[in-house]
Amino acid sequence: GRLRERLAKTRSSLAEGLGALVLGRKEIDDELLEDLETQLLTADVGVTATQRIIDDLTRRVSRKELTDPQALVGTLREELTALLAPAARPLTLPEDQEGPFVLLMVGVNGTGKTTTIGKLAQRYRAEGREVVLGAADTFRAAAAEQLQEWGERTGVPVIRGPEGGDPGAVAHDAVEAGRARGADVVIIDTAGRLHTQDNLMEELAKVRRVIAKQLPDAPHETMLVIDGGTGQNALSQARQFNQSVPLTGLTVTKLDGTARGGVLFALAAELEGVAIRFIGVGESAEDLRPFDAAEFVDALFE
Ligand code: GDP
């Protein structure tokens, strides 16, 4: 279906690349396994995930469980699915929670954070939920404007503060507004400037503390938005954010138009405990999809 088309470039770098390697081979030898390893690394699957897969294949080959090169791709497909599955945990909003579910959104500028927030607002509105947005990126006026536009489009109030004002205060006001309105979800946008990274990380940690003080268990989700097209860089970004604001979820955007979608496997293998919630495969609201491991791998291999 559509996912298959949207993932065409990763499909070609990963699945078709692996298929081409086994073509015409008569046996599974060290050379073939090395070629597979190189192909996985080239497709951004990352060192940890690749090593896990190659070790497992090697074990199966030595036990003679796996002898036919033509069966290799099928086995790889199973292994890739199994590797992703524990990380593919959907974001479910509790039905009986007192007070709003607070979603703190973090990520570097340009990764698609604001767009993702807009798409989430639209999704939750369509489910009949009351949503409040908080524009805690007070650094960029354009970000608050963009959020405001999404708010108008989806009929959702947007809490803003003065330009250059305290992001923690905006987050606080957004949670307060969510409470006062009896909203189901409060989604808070944050800054993502890269050139003053230490300050940014401190600022995010502070915003998080403000929310945590205000509402027990909040933020209920701290979601990092990363651009899948950046490959291994996505991994180092995720690690860095995770150190300042413990992440619970990830959204990986722009998987349409990149060959580097293999990074999802790297993220699943390296960021234990962090769930992959959504993937972005295009610009429209339906293109933000709840992440499903089998569906993703099938779209690459079928
Ligand atoms: P922010 O700076 O992180 O808030 O980034 P924006 O939300 O402004 O997004 C930057 C650009 O990426 C916009 O043009 C979005 O439409 C685009 N974008 C976001 N997600 C996706 C996606 O999944 N696929 C594609 N192709 N574009 C996306």
Side-chain angles (χ1 to χ4, degrees), residues 15 104 107 119 153:
L104 182 64
K119 290 173 179 174
R153 209 177 307 160

Side-chain angles (χ1 to χ4, degrees), residues 34-172:
E34 269 168 37
D35 289 349
L36 288 175
E37 182 174 1
T38 306
Q39 185 70 35
L40 289 168
L41 290 172
T42 307
D44 279 287
V45 171
V47 177
T48 306
T50 298
Q51 203 55 52
R52 239 185 254 174
I53 289 168
I54 295 298
D55 285 352
D56 210 68
L57 286 180
T58 308
R59 207 173 310 125
R60 289 194 200 206
V61 170
S62 71
R63 287 183 192 149
K64 306 255 189 305
E65 292 165 11
L66 187 63
T67 50
D68 177 8
Q70 307 317 305
L72 248 183
V73 175
T75 306
L76 265 165
R77 184 171 157 177
E78 280 166 26
E79 302 219 343
L80 287 165
T81 309
L83 204 138
L84 273 190
R89 299 191 300 279
L91 184 65
T92 46
L93 305 188
E95 296 297 336
D96 55 354
Q97 180 174 295
E98 189 146 339
F101 186 89
V102 179
L103 241 157
L104 182 64
M105 303 289 288
V106 301
V108 167
N109 289 341
T111 54
K113 181 159 35 84
T114 312
T115 310
T116 299
I117 293 171
K119 290 173 179 174
L120 285 175
Q122 194 160 325
R123 167 181 295 267
Y124 292 137
R125 284 300 297 137
E127 291 173 7
R129 298 183 199 267
E130 292 300 324
V131 182
V132 169
L133 299 181
D137 180 358
T138 58
F139 198 76
R140 280 193 307 171
E145 280 309 318
Q146 204 185 332
L147 213 59
Q148 187 81 48
E149 277 167 32
W150 276 105
E152 278 158 25
R153 209 177 307 160
T154 51
V156 162
V158 180
I159 308 303
R160 299 172 62 167
E163 202 179 329
D166 175 18
V170 178
H172 183 275

Side-chain angles (χ1 to χ4, degrees), residues 90-91 123 276-279 286 288-293 295:
L91 184 65
R123 167 181 295 267
I276 303 172
R277 305 294 197 188
F278 296 95
I279 55 172
E286 314 81 80
L288 182 72
R289 298 176 172 234
F291 182 60
D292 180 306
E295 189 188 36

Side-chain angles (χ1 to χ4, degrees), residues 68-291:
D68 177 8
Q70 307 317 305
L72 248 183
V73 175
T75 306
L76 265 165
R77 184 171 157 177
E78 280 166 26
E79 302 219 343
L80 287 165
T81 309
L83 204 138
L84 273 190
R89 299 191 300 279
L91 184 65
T92 46
L93 305 188
E95 296 297 336
D96 55 354
Q97 180 174 295
E98 189 146 339
F101 186 89
V102 179
L103 241 157
L104 182 64
M105 303 289 288
V106 301
V108 167
N109 289 341
T111 54
K113 181 159 35 84
T114 312
T115 310
T116 299
I117 293 171
K119 290 173 179 174
L120 285 175
Q122 194 160 325
R123 167 181 295 267
Y124 292 137
R125 284 300 297 137
E127 291 173 7
R129 298 183 199 267
E130 292 300 324
V131 182
V132 169
L133 299 181
D137 180 358
T138 58
F139 198 76
R140 280 193 307 171
E145 280 309 318
Q146 204 185 332
L147 213 59
Q148 187 81 48
E149 277 167 32
W150 276 105
E152 278 158 25
R153 209 177 307 160
T154 51
V156 162
V158 180
I159 308 303
R160 299 172 62 167
E163 202 179 329
D166 175 18
V170 178
H172 183 275
D173 289 353
V175 172
E176 217 37 64
R179 261 178 168 170
R181 289 168 175 266
D184 302 294
V185 193
V186 175
I187 311 176
I188 296 167
D189 190 16
T190 59
R193 57 194 183 274
L194 202 54
H195 52 282
T196 49
Q197 216 150 18
D198 287 349
N199 291 342
L200 173 62
M201 295 302 163
E202 265 169 43
E203 176 180 315
L204 295 177
K206 189 178 160 214
V207 168
R208 188 177 186 282
R209 279 199 302 275
V210 168
I211 300 168
K213 246 190 227 162
Q214 197 175 2
L215 203 64
D217 301 327
H220 305 89
E221 171 86 355
T222 302
M223 188 190 284
L224 174 70
V225 179
I226 32 182
D227 179 342
T230 61
Q232 295 307 294
N233 202 9
L235 197 59
S236 54
Q237 257 174 37
R239 286 207 190 95
Q240 197 171 12
F241 274 90
N242 202 21
Q243 278 173 7
S244 347
V245 275
L247 302 173
T248 49
L250 298 174
T251 288
V252 186
T253 62
K254 306 190 194 183
L255 289 171
D256 54 316
T258 181
R260 314 191 74 177
V263 73
L264 278 155
F265 301 98
L267 291 163
E270 306 254 356
L271 292 169
E272 273 176 45
V274 183
I276 303 172
R277 305 294 197 188
F278 296 95
I279 55 172
V281 293
E283 306 244 6
S284 77
E286 314 81 80
D287 295 326
L288 182 72
R289 298 176 172 234
F291 182 60

